[in-house]
Amino acid sequence: MLQTPGAAYGAWSILDALLAPTGAGTPFVFREPLGQAREVKVALSGLFGRFVARAYLERYFNLSIFAHLGSRIIDLDRRRRIKVKRLSRGDLPDWIACASDLSSLSVAEAKGCHDVGGPAKALARAWTQAGRIDVTAQDRKVTVKRIAIATRWGMAAAGPADAYLSVRDPVDEGDPIDPTEKDTLFVRLLRLHIANLIKPLGHAELAGALQRLTHQPFARRLPDDLNRARALLDAAPVGELEKAGSVGGLIGGIVTRAGPVDADVAPTDQEALARLDLRPVFVGIDRDLIRAAIDAEPQAVRSRIADTVSPDEFARSDRAGGWIIPLGEERRIIRST
């Protein structure tokens, strides 16, 4: 949910203690400044800035598939020369992202700040960072929306009271790109999104196989990589929501306030975790969608995501095949292979 998928961070409830209770639909205001030392403020501002920006991108730009860049360049398909090209030195933007229908390619950077004068300086830094890469296919520049998001935090005490969110989001036109190459780009992006999500949930081997498929430069080695990815998917334990036919098999794991749970958790133990107020949730992604991503079938990907149906008002979909399902007495995950 932040720069990397949120399953690795089980303590989302930390926000409850930090935010002023201003009510639903009101500004995002902290009780007090985020620390005293400058380095602490900078670190926490960056962390929460990504949290807010990710939610903003999902809600207002309809983006749901994210690959984070970190400090390295990503090859989206080495064999077809679809990649991220660095344009200048410095930190790279946070994400490359797209919508669930495999459209709206975007490059996004998030910043958070405490600047008394507002978010303008942070927005300028974010915009510079968002412009440090191009996405290219066969050395041709791909059209992207560049998005810079800066949040100036509001404080209930000992700081600026008003919270601001500032955005710059023009479209950067590129060269004409063959639709097949565009689909290839989006499916590779989805593979990286899935790999980042499932890796901290106990599926590191499958995540690695998805990444190898993306980075494999040699066509003769691709069949072996495909077979390994399919075999790992077939062998992965599948989670199914008890008494809910609308959600199929999910690949993922249980996350509590203390983080991911490595062991298999029986239904009775899931209820016990809920009674202890550890807020267990099952975080997973549709197995059939993973298979479509492995097989590089863009139409199957679109159809699978479009057919997503929530089993009840509690389960939340990320609109990219992912689910967060609160567990307890009425909702239990049954694991199978």
Side-chain angles (χ1 to χ4, degrees), residues 25 65 114 120 127 147-148 152 154 201 229 256 258 284 313:
I65 297 170
H114 293 80
W127 178 248
I147 307 172
R152 201 287 299 275
L201 297 172
T256 71
E313 68 271 26

Side-chain angles (χ1 to χ4, degrees), residues 77-336:
D77 192 307
R78 285 185 182 176
R79 290 176 298 107
R80 300 194 184 192
R81 293 163 53 206
I82 300 174
K83 63 181 182 179
V84 175
K85 178 182 177 182
R86 179 187 283 274
L87 301 177
S88 61
R89 298 177 63 182
D91 291 338
L92 300 180
D94 288 318
W95 302 288
I96 304 174
C98 68
S100 60
D101 62 354
L102 306 185
S103 67
S104 306
L105 186 66
S106 303
V107 173
E109 168 62 20
K111 297 290 185 187
C113 72
H114 293 80
D115 297 348
V116 174
K121 292 181 179 179
L123 183 66
R125 294 194 300 271
W127 178 248
T128 297
Q129 212 160 319
R132 285 189 178 135
I133 63 167
D134 277 339
V135 180
T136 63
Q138 302 289 337
D139 295 324
R140 297 190 305 276
K141 179 180 173 181
V142 180
T143 296
V144 300
K145 178 181 277 291
R146 297 189 189 274
I147 307 172
I149 303 175
T151 307
R152 201 287 299 275
W153 309 116
M155 305 294 163
D162 296 324
Y164 292 100
L165 191 147
S166 185
V167 180
R168 186 175 178 183
D169 60 341
V171 173
D172 186 359
E173 295 289 347
D175 302 317
I177 303 296
D178 184 271
T180 301
E181 289 185 348
K182 280 189 177 181
D183 280 345
T184 298
L185 188 163
F186 288 125
V187 170
R188 279 23 173 204
L189 191 62
L190 175 62
R191 285 177 179 172
L192 295 175
H193 172 91
I194 294 170
N196 288 333
L197 177 66
I198 65 175
K199 184 177 180 179
L201 297 172
H203 302 280
E205 278 194 277
L206 179 56
L210 288 166
Q211 291 170 335
R212 278 192 298 276
L213 282 177
T214 299
H215 300 149
Q216 178 56 261
F218 302 112
R220 67 179 182 276
R221 296 180 183 175
L222 185 60
D224 288 340
D225 287 344
L226 284 168
N227 289 335
R228 175 163 176 75
R230 290 168 182 148
L232 287 169
L233 178 61
D234 290 339
V238 178
E240 295 183 343
L241 184 59
E242 191 177 50
K243 300 178 182 178
S246 57
V247 176
L250 302 174
I251 303 298
I254 292 176
V255 181
T256 71
R257 296 172 69 175
V261 179
D262 292 334
D264 188 18
V265 182
T268 53
D269 293 328
Q270 296 171 30
E271 295 176 13
L273 290 172
R275 288 196 300 271
L276 292 170
D277 197 28
L278 288 172
R279 301 185 186 180
V281 296
F282 186 86
V283 180
I285 194 160
D286 178 46
R287 179 175 60 171
D288 291 339
L289 178 66
I290 299 177
R291 190 175 302 280
I294 290 172
D295 294 339
E297 297 178 347
Q299 293 309 318
V301 167
R302 291 185 177 98
S303 297
R304 192 65 193 172
I305 293 176
D307 292 341
T308 298
V309 178
S310 179
D312 57 32
E313 68 271 26
F314 299 104
R316 290 180 290 141
S317 169
D318 67 358
R319 297 177 300 172
W323 288 93
I324 299 177
I325 303 173
L327 302 177
E329 184 176 350
E330 299 299 326
R331 291 174 304 282
R332 295 179 289 266
I333 288 290
I334 307 298
R335 300 296 288 267
S336 63

Side-chain angles (χ1 to χ4, degrees), residues 50-62:
R50 292 187 186 101
F51 180 92
V52 171
R54 179 74 173 257
Y56 183 88
L57 292 169
E58 291 179 3
R59 180 168 183 175
Y60 294 103
F61 290 93
N62 202 34

